[in-house]
Amino acid sequence: MPLLPGAEPLSRTGGPTGVLLCHGFTGSPHSMRPWAEHLADAGLTVELPLLPGHGTSWQEMNLTGSAQWLAAVEAALLDLRDRCDEVFVMGMSMGGCLALRLAQLHPGAVAGAVLVNPSLALETPLLLAAPLLKHVLPSTKGLTDDIKRPGVREGGYDRVPTAAAATLPALWRATRRGMASVQAPVLVYRSPEDHVIGPQSLRILTSRAVNAEVTVRSLDNSYHVATLDNDAAVIFEGSLGFVREYGRSGEGRQR
């Protein structure tokens, strides 16, 4: 099945510091591409994979689940680890959850994590009903384009595939249980006005990641898809500064 416009994965080879970016549920690399390109232009080695079932149709996504999405980013992380001296993981929404899970499963391979409005709990009414709806309703209204900046589209599905959505709680539970195993520093960007993810996810992260240095910064002029919103430059520059601060190789530093 052909990809939606802008859904193509991105891979850029740069210096010895690698960055893996994870996009969100029903989204695609489209929402992360400007961020990935900013980091790559600074000299980093960047991978932005397309998650299974994403970027084509919600019907195809209904044939996949969170175990496959995690496996895809895990494979990308291990590949970067073999090619780079150090790797940072970054993600938005469900992609933030995937990035955290990678930090838990592979603490020796993750130098740090940058998360944008990460999703760690059932906070959306549509997703609350997914385990029941999957038996009678293959899809529900979409969750895309929560962007304050006028005229900007996320490029995701306009329908939520309920069978795929019903696999999210397993990922959330595993990530919440493993939160104390996160050792790498974590930078979190949070939009106070987010119409997709509520405040519970951030509370879980800050209260349970007891063995990690967690920094929270507010995005006061953006909604959920902040990587395409008014505060995008804040995220891009802040994440690059985070790599410069915590990276061992110094790749991406101003020369």
Side-chain angles (χ1 to χ4, degrees), residues 27-101:
S28 78
H30 176 85
S31 63
M32 308 283 282
R33 191 173 306 278
W35 188 6
E37 290 176 342
H38 183 88
L39 297 174
D41 289 345
L44 308 180
T45 293
V46 173
E47 292 292 336
L48 171 55
L50 173 65
L51 300 180
H54 291 72
T56 54
S57 71
W58 67 260
Q59 292 92 338
E60 185 169 333
M61 187 177 171
N62 248 344
L63 304 176
T64 68
S66 60
Q68 291 165 277
W69 311 329
L70 177 60
V73 295
E74 187 172 32
L77 171 67
L78 297 179
D79 175 67
L80 272 175
R81 181 193 62 183
D82 291 341
R83 294 159 48 201
C84 299
D85 293 346
E86 58 188 352
V87 180
F88 289 80
V89 293
M90 305 185 185
M92 181 178 67
S93 195
M94 181 193 73
C97 183
L98 291 172
L100 273 176
R101 189 69 182 130

Side-chain angles (χ1 to χ4, degrees), residues 119-232:
S119 171
L120 296 171
L122 283 166
E123 299 188 74
T124 303
L126 286 174
L127 297 183
L128 282 169
L132 296 176
L133 288 176
K134 69 177 182 179
H135 299 295
V136 295
L137 196 64
S139 71
T140 59
K141 183 181 177 182
L143 302 170
T144 61
D145 298 330
D146 188 35
I147 302 172
K148 185 175 184 179
R149 186 179 177 187
V152 180
R153 302 294 302 273
E154 180 183 357
Y157 296 149
D158 58 3
R159 304 289 296 175
V160 172
T162 51
T167 70
L168 281 170
L171 173 64
W172 287 326
R173 286 193 299 269
T175 306
R176 291 196 300 266
R177 285 196 301 265
M179 203 66 72
S181 65
V182 177
Q183 301 175 16
V186 179
L187 173 60
V188 188
Y189 286 99
R190 171 66 183 154
S191 300
E193 191 172 356
D194 184 331
H195 306 101
V196 178
I197 303 299
Q200 183 182 0
S201 291
L202 182 60
R203 288 197 296 264
I204 291 170
L205 173 58
T206 55
S207 64
R208 299 191 187 185
V210 293
N211 294 310
E213 178 186 343
V214 179
T215 302
V216 180
R217 296 178 182 170
S218 184
L219 302 174
D220 297 328
N221 199 26
S222 297
Y223 295 159
H224 181 65
V225 190
T227 53
L228 296 178
D229 217 328
N230 296 311
D231 295 307

